Every structure is written in structure tokens, then in C-alpha cells.
Amino acid sequence: MHIAAFDLDGTLVRGDLVVPFLRRAAGCGSLAKACARPALVTALRRRDRDEIKAMAANALRGVRIEHVRRVAEGLSARAIARDLNPSVLHEWHAAGERGARRLIVSASFEPYVEMIGAHLGADAVLATGLESTDGVLTGQLSTPNCRGANKVLRLEEQLATWSLTRADLHVSAWGDSTGDREMLAWADRAHLVR
């Protein structure tokens, strides 16, 4: 059994989708207010990506899920039409032709990652979840930030849902950043995208 795990931002998609998503979903005012917090400056200095992601999610507090879906639809359609990385997309299709189960494993937020994954025919999408209550975002994450060691944990959880273990598999992984390091090390074949 073959597994092909792909990061999204900077790998399958050229560039980053998090900030455009936050700007459109939260609005510039809410995003600016979230960015003006002194705790963010501290998190940036420490390069604490998990804390930064939690603060980014806080900018979405009170936003209705319907609005987030519309933003995600527009952002994912634009990314599919203009921003897919042709060389990595070729690898995505080649993995599918070889019969591999293909996954997107991303620290980006679930709403648009799931839409891009559905368009590409992903077997699973593992991304950072946003908590909601009664159709409104709470400003909290519903999953840990899907980066670093959490990418491997999420992959192992997904394998368990398919009744597979790491020993059963040949894993290929594609990534472009330090947030992909653990996933690339976990793979049998690692592809660092430049």
C-alpha cells in the first residue's frame, strides 16, 4: 500500500492561503485588531507558530459559518484556477495513477483545504480545524495546529481509521518548510519542494 502526503501552502499551492483567507473571512479590522495584541509580538519573536495560529483563529470569533464557506469557496476556486504548483500537481496525479492514497496534510484552515482536496480527489484532508457553536465560529481551534509533529500524529490517526499501520505502507511526502520536517522524516521518500 502506498500513501502520498502533500503539504498545501508553498507545496501544492504556490504561496500562502492563510492570510488571504483571514483577511476575507474576518475582515481587515478584526484581523488588524488580532495582530495588534502584544502577545502576538511575543509569539512572533519566539516563532511560536501554534500560538500565532490560535491568535489568528481568534480574529474569526463571531463569524458565521455560511460566510466562511463562501470565502473558502472563492479562495479555493482561485487557488485551483491560478495557484496550483504544476510540478507538484504532476506528482499528485502520478501518485494517484500508481494507486496511492493521497492526502493533503496542512496547517492551513480546514474550510478551504477541504474544498481544494475535494477538487483534487484527495482520499483525506488533514488540516487545522476551527471550532463553531450554533453556526458561529468561537475563535478557537477545534484541532491542534496541523504542523510539525502534529502532521505525523494526524497521519497516524488517519491510517488507524483505514485499519493500516505504518509498517504496512510505503510513504512518500512533499513539503516546503520546517513545519513539514517531521512528516518528511517519517516518509520513506521525502520531496523537499523549493
Side-chain angles (χ1 to χ4, degrees):
M1 169 71 67
H2 292 266
I3 296 289
F6 293 80
D7 171 56
L8 184 69
D9 293 319
T11 304
L12 263 170
V13 172
R14 294 180 293 230
D16 181 80
L17 298 176
V18 174
V19 173
F21 171 73
L22 288 169
R23 199 173 30 226
R24 291 178 178 110
C28 291
S30 293
L31 187 56
K33 186 177 174 184
C35 290
R37 295 175 56 196
L40 179 62
V41 174
T42 303
L44 286 168
R45 275 195 207 120
R46 289 193 329 253
R47 295 183 179 180
D48 185 341
R49 299 293 206 119
D50 297 333
E51 185 63 24
I52 293 166
K53 186 62 62 85
M55 287 184 205
N58 190 262
L60 297 165
R61 184 177 30 170
V63 176
R64 299 205 60 79
I65 294 231
E66 295 90 31
H67 174 67
V68 169
R69 282 194 189 111
R70 284 192 302 274
V71 168
E73 285 170 2
L75 186 65
S76 61
R78 185 181 139 241
I80 290 162
R82 299 182 1 194
D83 299 327
L84 292 175
N85 182 333
S87 62
V88 179
L89 187 60
H90 172 77
E91 295 293 333
W92 174 271
H93 291 304
E97 289 167 8
R98 290 190 301 270
R101 289 192 187 182
R102 298 170 299 177
L103 302 91
I104 297 176
V105 188
S106 175
S108 280
F109 293 115
E110 281 178 351
Y112 55 91
V113 181
E114 288 176 347
M115 290 177 186
I116 292 169
H119 174 80
L120 294 175
D123 293 288
V125 170
L126 311 175
T128 304
L130 294 168
E131 181 183 84
S132 65
T133 302
D134 300 326
V136 177
L137 295 180
T138 66
Q140 302 295 313
L141 300 176
S142 63
T143 67
N145 189 14
C146 189
R147 74 176 303 278
N150 282 327
K151 286 195 174 196
V152 174
L153 291 173
R154 296 284 299 277
L155 279 162
E156 290 173 343
E157 289 170 359
Q158 182 61 48
L159 295 179
T161 68
W162 290 334
S163 300
L164 297 171
T165 65
R166 178 63 181 88
D168 301 325
L169 304 170
H170 176 81
V171 178
S172 296
W174 288 258
D176 75 306
S177 72
T178 58
D180 301 316
R181 190 177 326 157
E182 289 86 346
M183 179 175 76
L184 294 173
W186 184 75
D188 298 301
R189 288 190 63 213
H191 306 270
L192 184 60
V193 176
R194 298 284 181 196

